[in-house]
Amino acid sequence: MRYSLMCKSFTGSEVLDSEIVDVKLENNEVAFSQFPCRALITTERLPHGQRLDIILSFHEDTTDPMNFSFSMATEQWEKSNYVLMPGAVYNGNRFVSLPLPYPPYYEPPHNSPFTEAEVITSIPHLDMENRTSQISLLSGDMASPLCGFYDFNRQSGSVLLGTHQCGSYYTGFTVDEHQIDGKASFVLSVPGVRETSAYFFGDQNDGHGFRPDVTAPSQDTGAWFKQGQSLTLTVCVFHSQQISLPDFFKFVNSTKTTLESPNQFFNVPFYKAYTSIKEKYQKENYTEEGYYSVGTNWNIHQQCWQAGWIGGGMNSYPLLIEDSSEARERSLSTLRFIFSRLQHPSGWIFGMYGNGKFYGDGGDSNPDTILLVRKNADLLYFVLKQLFWLSDNYHSTTEFEQPVKALCDAFVRLFRKYGQLGQFIDMATEEIVVGNSAGACMAVGALALASEYFLSTEYRSVAEQLGEYYYNNYVIKGMLNGCPGEICQAPDSEAAFAMLESYVQLYETTHKSIWLTYAEETCEMAMTWVMSYDFVFPAHSTAAQRGVHSSGTVFANAQNKHSAPGICTLSGNSLLKLYRFTGKAKYLHDLHAIAHSLPQYVSLAEDPELTLEKQYLPPGYMNERVQTSDWEGKETVGEFLYGSNWPEVSMLLTFVEVPGVYVDFASRTLQVFDHVECLVTQWNEDSVSMEMYNPTAYSTMVTLLADERTDAQRVTHHYFACMKTVPLSAGERIQMELRK
């Protein structure tokens, strides 16, 4: 591996001049001849790597804006190497890239839905051919400020880690590949400058409309430095040998917080966030036709009904099991509406519906029977959870069982016919029209759950076969993609977390250790999408003024480059179950990051959230944008958009599936997820004495789960009723005892 330091000067984002000096990873001093600066390097050994603090000092004023870089380069490069930039680039994003308008839908020729290469829009990617290509991002474009690669031939992994900010400048990361020469470099720069072009998503100046474009003019530039000024760039370089690709993801997750860790914070308790959204749902999300909508503007059919994905048939689940009156009845009404009005004769559920009309998922020019299969996989999974709860609580489920079974059978027929589920199908003909995607992977968990509910060995068998299919074709290759219906086959976090959920459910159903192994491997990939640090937002931005913590938010996908509150659309309780199955506390910490982050993004009557449209979000609204990237323009960083979005469903699910305080008596483990402080004062054989404090400005109702993780039946499909609740006023401190 070759290491070097580089200075560049710029006119705008165009390079004027550059100078590169090779260095070794040891204490030394480097002088530049073409730039008025020198670099003092101090090193520190770390497990699997080294830390470098590079002090750049200027002995004259700079004559042009410039930046400074550290480069890690290899001259044994092969295109097969796996390139990772967390939350942005997976396997180099090596797909066929097309300049498709938004929302993109690319259907391959009728005779080749499986043989055509995967398609992405014009997003950052390395080239599929033998040529030179580059990906250049700012730190805020990624979930963690690092880049790296895995070498399949040498079974080794390398990571270049920095801080997301150096001084007052955001850093930048570049992967520069020369396939013909067998060379590649991984570069950390300050200030980050995307040279010449940068990724932009919006109305394009070339007249080609609203779309993603990786060739948009870059607005970045270098910085002016004065005589006597200095800047310290901190870099970590890590290498690991004799590892697999799943090990590489684990390696990345173990190193990503070396320089920047999340800060502890308390602001909005789970209960306050939940009740605000629930009240909003009762006022604005229940339609006259008798179902919970996914949005509030019913003049737009996408906000009326969409199966699964952003909440259709999922939003009724938390309200069904938590409420005991109107919200529960409306949840039941939603289930009835789905299966009496939205089910196609083939058994599939229409993807979109609004005001008496069905709509397909393939755009206006396609039939209304085109379905994003992921939508029905999500729907089936959460409908089965609701059937389990109804059955366990002595409610009749007879009216739902045949139509739900018909949906299960539709999945089985599709798999038997093709050996996969594809990404888009035509419900009427049951043909796969777009394949090459892991988008429908939630069907694994759904059919596993169905095998328990209907006592069906066939459903279980198909679930296991699908589990192997997704592992061999996607997980083992480090590529989970295509869950959102408007990113083509780009990598995304939703597929990663849906796959995790499915493997956890499959293990819970079968108790076969292979599915637990697959779940743990998938978890490492999923967690690379979760922001590992607190981004420093621009001081004037809404996020900065609200004191927003970005750690624990989840990057959406490689096309839509915003982070978001929560997982679309899950609570992440699969991580709680992973802890129960393995005893590894890291999974509790992973869940804490995601769940604890969520409530701060709920707009409250007492603290409404201001948006770019200069309107306040109404109470109970959550927007999906956590903007650390300038993919929609530099003015959007740290700002929020107006509108009601799917994170509301993630928050509802979190309240009923993630206990505010979790106690495992088997290992005497206490984990707080909610915005309260809790301290164990004494462990007893059958109880634990605790002190609990509410540091927030809101009264709350804290849920507590007393668990014995070795009891496999204690936490399964639903367990909200097993949680105890404790009222806690704002600023109140109490002593309490929690019994098993």
PDB file of all heavy atoms in Angstrom, residues 519-533:
ATOM      1  N   ALA A 519     -28.483 -13.972   9.894  1.00  0.00           N
ATOM      2  CA  ALA A 519     -29.005 -12.739  10.495  1.00  0.00           C
ATOM      3  C   ALA A 519     -27.865 -11.866  11.008  1.00  0.00           C
ATOM      4  O   ALA A 519     -27.861 -10.647  10.803  1.00  0.00           O
ATOM      5  CB  ALA A 519     -29.965 -13.071  11.635  1.00  0.00           C
ATOM      6  N   GLU A 520     -26.897 -12.484  11.673  1.00  0.00           N
ATOM      7  CA  GLU A 520     -25.782 -11.695  12.216  1.00  0.00           C
ATOM      8  C   GLU A 520     -24.947 -11.078  11.094  1.00  0.00           C
ATOM      9  O   GLU A 520     -24.497  -9.937  11.194  1.00  0.00           O
ATOM     10  CB  GLU A 520     -24.918 -12.562  13.121  1.00  0.00           C
ATOM     11  CG  GLU A 520     -25.611 -12.945  14.426  1.00  0.00           C
ATOM     12  CD  GLU A 520     -24.638 -13.387  15.490  1.00  0.00           C
ATOM     13  OE1 GLU A 520     -24.106 -12.509  16.189  1.00  0.00           O
ATOM     14  OE2 GLU A 520     -24.401 -14.606  15.609  1.00  0.00           O
ATOM     15  N   GLU A 521     -24.739 -11.817  10.011  1.00  0.00           N
ATOM     16  CA  GLU A 521     -23.999 -11.263   8.879  1.00  0.00           C
ATOM     17  C   GLU A 521     -24.768 -10.110   8.243  1.00  0.00           C
ATOM     18  O   GLU A 521     -24.184  -9.074   7.899  1.00  0.00           O
ATOM     19  CB  GLU A 521     -23.735 -12.363   7.844  1.00  0.00           C
ATOM     20  CG  GLU A 521     -22.742 -13.405   8.303  1.00  0.00           C
ATOM     21  CD  GLU A 521     -22.460 -14.453   7.241  1.00  0.00           C
ATOM     22  OE1 GLU A 521     -22.855 -14.252   6.069  1.00  0.00           O
ATOM     23  OE2 GLU A 521     -21.844 -15.493   7.564  1.00  0.00           O
ATOM     24  N   THR A 522     -26.074 -10.288   8.076  1.00  0.00           N
ATOM     25  CA  THR A 522     -26.906  -9.246   7.470  1.00  0.00           C
ATOM     26  C   THR A 522     -26.944  -8.007   8.347  1.00  0.00           C
ATOM     27  O   THR A 522     -26.964  -6.874   7.850  1.00  0.00           O
ATOM     28  CB  THR A 522     -28.331  -9.777   7.225  1.00  0.00           C
ATOM     29  OG1 THR A 522     -28.264 -10.954   6.424  1.00  0.00           O
ATOM     30  CG2 THR A 522     -29.189  -8.738   6.523  1.00  0.00           C
ATOM     31  N   CYS A 523     -26.954  -8.210   9.653  1.00  0.00           N
ATOM     32  CA  CYS A 523     -26.994  -7.090  10.586  1.00  0.00           C
ATOM     33  C   CYS A 523     -25.790  -6.171  10.395  1.00  0.00           C
ATOM     34  O   CYS A 523     -25.931  -4.939  10.425  1.00  0.00           O
ATOM     35  CB  CYS A 523     -27.041  -7.600  12.019  1.00  0.00           C
ATOM     36  SG  CYS A 523     -27.131  -6.285  13.249  1.00  0.00           S
ATOM     37  N   GLU A 524     -24.614  -6.747  10.185  1.00  0.00           N
ATOM     38  CA  GLU A 524     -23.424  -5.923   9.997  1.00  0.00           C
ATOM     39  C   GLU A 524     -23.560  -5.046   8.753  1.00  0.00           C
ATOM     40  O   GLU A 524     -23.169  -3.871   8.752  1.00  0.00           O
ATOM     41  CB  GLU A 524     -22.170  -6.797   9.897  1.00  0.00           C
ATOM     42  CG  GLU A 524     -21.867  -7.612  11.151  1.00  0.00           C
ATOM     43  CD  GLU A 524     -21.533  -6.754  12.364  1.00  0.00           C
ATOM     44  OE1 GLU A 524     -21.238  -5.558  12.200  1.00  0.00           O
ATOM     45  OE2 GLU A 524     -21.578  -7.279  13.488  1.00  0.00           O
ATOM     46  N   MET A 525     -24.135  -5.609   7.689  1.00  0.00           N
ATOM     47  CA  MET A 525     -24.339  -4.817   6.485  1.00  0.00           C
ATOM     48  C   MET A 525     -25.373  -3.723   6.738  1.00  0.00           C
ATOM     49  O   MET A 525     -25.206  -2.566   6.332  1.00  0.00           O
ATOM     50  CB  MET A 525     -24.811  -5.725   5.336  1.00  0.00           C
ATOM     51  CG  MET A 525     -24.645  -5.097   3.970  1.00  0.00           C
ATOM     52  SD  MET A 525     -25.393  -6.081   2.635  1.00  0.00           S
ATOM     53  CE  MET A 525     -24.782  -7.708   3.026  1.00  0.00           C
ATOM     54  N   ALA A 526     -26.470  -4.067   7.422  1.00  0.00           N
ATOM     55  CA  ALA A 526     -27.534  -3.098   7.690  1.00  0.00           C
ATOM     56  C   ALA A 526     -27.020  -1.934   8.518  1.00  0.00           C
ATOM     57  O   ALA A 526     -27.367  -0.770   8.267  1.00  0.00           O
ATOM     58  CB  ALA A 526     -28.697  -3.788   8.401  1.00  0.00           C
ATOM     59  N   MET A 527     -26.169  -2.211   9.501  1.00  0.00           N
ATOM     60  CA  MET A 527     -25.713  -1.152  10.401  1.00  0.00           C
ATOM     61  C   MET A 527     -24.760  -0.162   9.721  1.00  0.00           C
ATOM     62  O   MET A 527     -24.528   0.924  10.246  1.00  0.00           O
ATOM     63  CB  MET A 527     -25.054  -1.750  11.639  1.00  0.00           C
ATOM     64  CG  MET A 527     -26.043  -2.395  12.610  1.00  0.00           C
ATOM     65  SD  MET A 527     -27.387  -1.297  13.147  1.00  0.00           S
ATOM     66  CE  MET A 527     -26.483   0.003  13.985  1.00  0.00           C
ATOM     67  N   THR A 528     -24.226  -0.509   8.553  1.00  0.00           N
ATOM     68  CA  THR A 528     -23.398   0.471   7.843  1.00  0.00           C
ATOM     69  C   THR A 528     -24.241   1.614   7.295  1.00  0.00           C
ATOM     70  O   THR A 528     -23.695   2.665   6.911  1.00  0.00           O
ATOM     71  CB  THR A 528     -22.619  -0.175   6.677  1.00  0.00           C
ATOM     72  OG1 THR A 528     -23.538  -0.667   5.688  1.00  0.00           O
ATOM     73  CG2 THR A 528     -21.733  -1.308   7.171  1.00  0.00           C
ATOM     74  N   TRP A 529     -25.563   1.448   7.225  1.00  0.00           N
ATOM     75  CA  TRP A 529     -26.461   2.507   6.755  1.00  0.00           C
ATOM     76  C   TRP A 529     -26.838   3.477   7.875  1.00  0.00           C
ATOM     77  O   TRP A 529     -27.461   4.515   7.623  1.00  0.00           O
ATOM     78  CB  TRP A 529     -27.734   1.896   6.172  1.00  0.00           C
ATOM     79  CG  TRP A 529     -27.547   1.163   4.883  1.00  0.00           C
ATOM     80  CD1 TRP A 529     -27.301  -0.169   4.721  1.00  0.00           C
ATOM     81  CD2 TRP A 529     -27.586   1.722   3.560  1.00  0.00           C
ATOM     82  NE1 TRP A 529     -27.187  -0.469   3.392  1.00  0.00           N
ATOM     83  CE2 TRP A 529     -27.365   0.656   2.653  1.00  0.00           C
ATOM     84  CE3 TRP A 529     -27.797   3.007   3.062  1.00  0.00           C
ATOM     85  CZ2 TRP A 529     -27.346   0.853   1.272  1.00  0.00           C
ATOM     86  CZ3 TRP A 529     -27.777   3.198   1.687  1.00  0.00           C
ATOM     87  CH2 TRP A 529     -27.553   2.142   0.810  1.00  0.00           C
ATOM     88  N   VAL A 530     -26.506   3.157   9.116  1.00  0.00           N
ATOM     89  CA  VAL A 530     -26.911   3.959  10.269  1.00  0.00           C
ATOM     90  C   VAL A 530     -25.820   4.977  10.593  1.00  0.00           C
ATOM     91  O   VAL A 530     -24.642   4.618  10.722  1.00  0.00           O
ATOM     92  CB  VAL A 530     -27.183   3.061  11.494  1.00  0.00           C
ATOM     93  CG1 VAL A 530     -27.611   3.906  12.695  1.00  0.00           C
ATOM     94  CG2 VAL A 530     -28.251   2.025  11.156  1.00  0.00           C
ATOM     95  N   MET A 531     -26.201   6.253  10.745  1.00  0.00           N
ATOM     96  CA  MET A 531     -25.207   7.283  11.033  1.00  0.00           C
ATOM     97  C   MET A 531     -24.536   7.019  12.376  1.00  0.00           C
ATOM     98  O   MET A 531     -25.208   6.829  13.390  1.00  0.00           O
ATOM     99  CB  MET A 531     -25.834   8.678  10.999  1.00  0.00           C
ATOM    100  CG  MET A 531     -26.152   9.151   9.588  1.00  0.00           C
ATOM    101  SD  MET A 531     -26.339  10.948   9.452  1.00  0.00           S
ATOM    102  CE  MET A 531     -24.628  11.477   9.563  1.00  0.00           C
ATOM    103  N   SER A 532     -23.213   7.021  12.364  1.00  0.00           N
ATOM    104  CA  SER A 532     -22.446   6.619  13.544  1.00  0.00           C
ATOM    105  C   SER A 532     -21.974   7.801  14.371  1.00  0.00           C
ATOM    106  O   SER A 532     -21.322   7.612  15.397  1.00  0.00           O
ATOM    107  CB  SER A 532     -21.230   5.796  13.095  1.00  0.00           C
ATOM    108  OG  SER A 532     -20.417   6.549  12.202  1.00  0.00           O
ATOM    109  N   TYR A 533     -22.301   9.024  13.944  1.00  0.00           N
ATOM    110  CA  TYR A 533     -21.780  10.214  14.624  1.00  0.00           C
ATOM    111  C   TYR A 533     -22.815  11.329  14.550  1.00  0.00           C
ATOM    112  O   TYR A 533     -23.811  11.232  13.822  1.00  0.00           O
ATOM    113  CB  TYR A 533     -20.474  10.665  13.966  1.00  0.00           C
ATOM    114  CG  TYR A 533     -20.676  11.203  12.561  1.00  0.00           C
ATOM    115  CD1 TYR A 533     -20.761  12.572  12.326  1.00  0.00           C
ATOM    116  CD2 TYR A 533     -20.811  10.339  11.468  1.00  0.00           C
ATOM    117  CE1 TYR A 533     -20.962  13.077  11.053  1.00  0.00           C
ATOM    118  CE2 TYR A 533     -21.020  10.832  10.186  1.00  0.00           C
ATOM    119  CZ  TYR A 533     -21.101  12.194   9.984  1.00  0.00           C
ATOM    120  OH  TYR A 533     -21.310  12.692   8.725  1.00  0.00           O
TER     121      TYR A 533
END
